[in-house]
Amino acid sequence: MNHSIIINSIGTATPGASKILSDALKVPQDYILKLLYNAPSILFQKVDKNTALKAEDTLTKLGLDISVYKEDDKFDLTTELVDISVSFENVLQLPKVTEQLATFLGCKQSEALNLLLNDPSIILGNVSVATAKALQKRIDANVHYSNPKKDTYTILINNEIGSSELKNIENQLKKTIKKEEDIYVIEDVSYNNSQLLWRKYQSKKTVKLLNQSHQLVHIVMNDFDLDNQEHVSFLVNKVGMPEVILEDLQNALPITLFENINRKNAEEIMGSCLEMGMTVDLKREVNFKKRIQIEAIEDFEKVTKVLSQFIAKEDLPIEGAKNWESKEAIPSIIARYLLAQLEQLMCNPEII
């Protein structure tokens, strides 16, 4: 009886497996990579049982998740193609995640880092859910995936655009454009409408599309009730705030409860907060490059060592300086990574 060999998932294999299979089967490596990242997919059909079992053993040793089906077995190859992004609970994991991602994608670490520098950091597009789930098991970061055609989008429009053109866009989308900082913003735009806008303006670099399922946002608390045990429990157990500081916290409102979390997760948290009567807002970024400011440099050598990872030598603090401010804006995730290290040095750093 004939058998089929199905790749369920890339599993723990690296893209190097595609080179081995490409050489063995005499087919292009790109074709094998497509089978891996778009699994479940058929690798072999109509092979005898012994061949199927030998292939299963070899492929499993490469780290692939494999199934063997008999000729009359039914199997389902339908899969939803998704985009995958990554976010961090602990940004100090950036070097480790960069290495893990480079291994998963089969690319240089510098190339993996460049993918993470984008905001939102879509690191793979048009791949299967199985690939997203495999990645979740292999990196120390949050993995988010969604079908881009089912998602909604935030559109950022360059402020150099003319007022008449803005009006045309509003009419086309039937949505109101808001001005934030030096950018025009439209939210909750459908995939089809976002693509129409993108095709029209991409050559002029006028618009930027942000998939809201992958967007990173902040949750700001404007008010809560100290006498409401549900509010207190949420802040202590979910946010991690010591109960003894809650009264001082109330006097310092508004404050940020969560920073740089996936928008879908943020909206779920906000829903819970609003349901229990807390007053919260969702805040999102429109400026994806940041500068760093330091106000109390004590250990000059350690501060300089941290900054020199991503700051040019000529822009580093002058020896003996107590204050410093970066001249050039850097990608948000790099700013956060440097900030987290600088905070450990107690030099009063801040992202500006």
Side-chain angles (χ1 to χ4, degrees):
M1 180 178 289
N2 288 329
H3 292 68
S4 296
I5 298 176
I6 308 298
I7 302 173
N8 299 316
S9 161
I10 192 171
T12 60
T14 68
S18 66
K19 178 68 166 60
I20 296 172
L21 291 174
S22 172
D23 292 343
L25 301 177
K26 308 300 182 187
V27 296
Q29 188 175 357
D30 286 348
Y31 172 74
I32 299 295
L33 281 171
K34 185 175 181 180
L35 292 181
L36 297 184
Y37 287 122
N38 285 2
S41 51
I42 300 174
L43 182 61
F44 297 120
Q45 277 185 301
K46 296 182 179 179
V47 296
D48 62 71
K49 182 178 180 180
N50 286 338
T51 302
L53 293 176
K54 286 179 183 177
E56 180 185 27
D57 181 61
T58 301
L59 296 170
T60 301
K61 286 176 180 176
L62 288 175
L64 297 172
D65 179 2
I66 297 297
S67 293
V68 175
Y69 290 90
K70 296 177 184 176
E71 193 172 20
D72 53 357
D73 288 340
K74 291 183 179 180
F75 50 83
D76 185 7
L77 295 179
T78 58
T79 183
E80 187 172 35
L81 296 181
V82 298
D83 288 351
I84 304 174
S85 68
V86 169
S87 67
F88 292 80
E89 286 184 17
N90 179 5
V91 74
L92 290 173
Q93 294 279 52
L94 178 62
K96 184 178 182 181
V97 171
T98 300
E99 182 180 354
Q100 292 169 331
L101 191 57
T103 299
F104 187 83
L105 297 176
C107 66
K108 296 177 181 177
Q109 288 190 37
S110 58
E111 295 169 337
L113 178 60
N114 282 334
L115 292 173
L116 292 171
L117 296 185
N118 296 321
D119 205 335
S121 58
I122 305 292
I123 52 91
L124 270 175
N126 204 37
V127 296
S128 68
V129 172
T131 296
K133 290 181 177 180
L135 181 60
Q136 282 178 325
K137 297 175 182 178
R138 292 173 58 175
I139 67 171
D140 294 300
N142 299 315
V143 173
H144 314 283
Y145 58 92
S146 68
N147 182 338
K149 295 182 179 179
K150 296 180 179 178
D151 289 331
T152 53
Y153 293 77
T154 295
I155 312 293
L156 305 182
I157 306 172
N158 192 298
N159 67 351
E160 295 176 3
I161 196 169
S163 57
S164 61
E165 199 68 34
L166 280 176
K167 197 66 181 174
N168 288 339
I169 293 173
E170 279 190 322
N171 291 336
Q172 178 185 343
L173 300 179
K174 296 181 175 58
K175 289 185 177 291
T176 302
I177 295 176
K178 301 174 184 176
K179 182 76 177 290
E180 297 186 20
E181 299 181 20
D182 58 349
I183 294 287
Y184 295 104
V185 182
I186 316 172
E187 287 198 295
D188 303 320
V189 178
S190 70
Y191 172 79
N192 287 337
N193 282 337
S194 70
Q195 291 303 303
L196 287 173
L197 207 62
W198 173 249
R199 285 194 290 270
K200 184 174 181 180
Y201 293 102
Q202 64 170 322
S203 61
K204 301 177 185 178
K205 297 183 178 179
T206 307
V207 303
K208 178 180 176 70
L209 271 58
L210 301 177
N211 185 325
Q212 291 175 189
S213 291
H214 300 274
Q215 208 171 3
L216 298 183
V217 297
H218 317 304
I219 297 178
V220 177
M221 180 171 66
N222 299 312
D223 196 15
F224 71 100
D225 184 355
L226 262 176
D227 297 321
N228 186 315
Q229 190 53 44
E230 198 174 9
H231 292 191
V232 172
S233 176
F234 174 81
L235 293 172
V236 172
N237 298 319
K238 298 295 184 183
V239 183
M241 293 179 173
E243 189 168 353
V244 294
I245 72 163
L246 293 187
E247 188 171 345
D248 292 334
L249 192 70
Q250 194 167 54
N251 295 327
L253 295 172
I255 66 159
T256 301
L257 290 182
F258 298 94
E259 289 186 298
N260 299 297
I261 64 173
N262 176 266
R263 182 163 180 157
K264 277 188 172 181
N265 296 346
E267 288 174 348
E268 290 176 8
I269 294 170
M270 284 186 64
S272 298
C273 289
L274 294 171
E275 189 175 330
M276 71 176 78
M278 297 174 69
T279 307
V280 292
D281 283 326
L282 182 147
K283 180 183 176 185
R284 45 171 175 58
E285 299 283 356
V286 295
N287 180 5
F288 302 111
K289 290 203 170 182
K290 304 292 182 181
R291 290 187 299 121
I292 296 177
Q293 159 180 296
I294 302 174
E295 294 183 348
I297 299 175
E298 294 296 333
D299 193 324
F300 175 82
E301 186 176 335
K302 287 184 178 179
V303 167
T304 303
K305 184 178 180 180
V306 168
L307 292 174
S308 62
Q309 296 171 93
F310 292 100
I311 302 296
K313 185 176 181 180
E314 58 271 19
D315 294 334
L316 292 173
I318 299 171
E319 189 164 1
K322 295 297 182 184
N323 305 318
W324 176 82
E325 186 176 303
S326 56
K327 295 177 183 177
E328 299 292 332
I330 55 179
S332 176
I333 194 169
I334 296 300
R336 289 165 48 207
Y337 176 63
L338 294 179
L339 180 74
Q341 295 173 81
L342 292 168
E343 286 175 338
Q344 295 175 346
L345 301 178
M346 308 296 288
C347 58
N348 198 13
E350 183 182 3
I351 290 178
I352 57 175

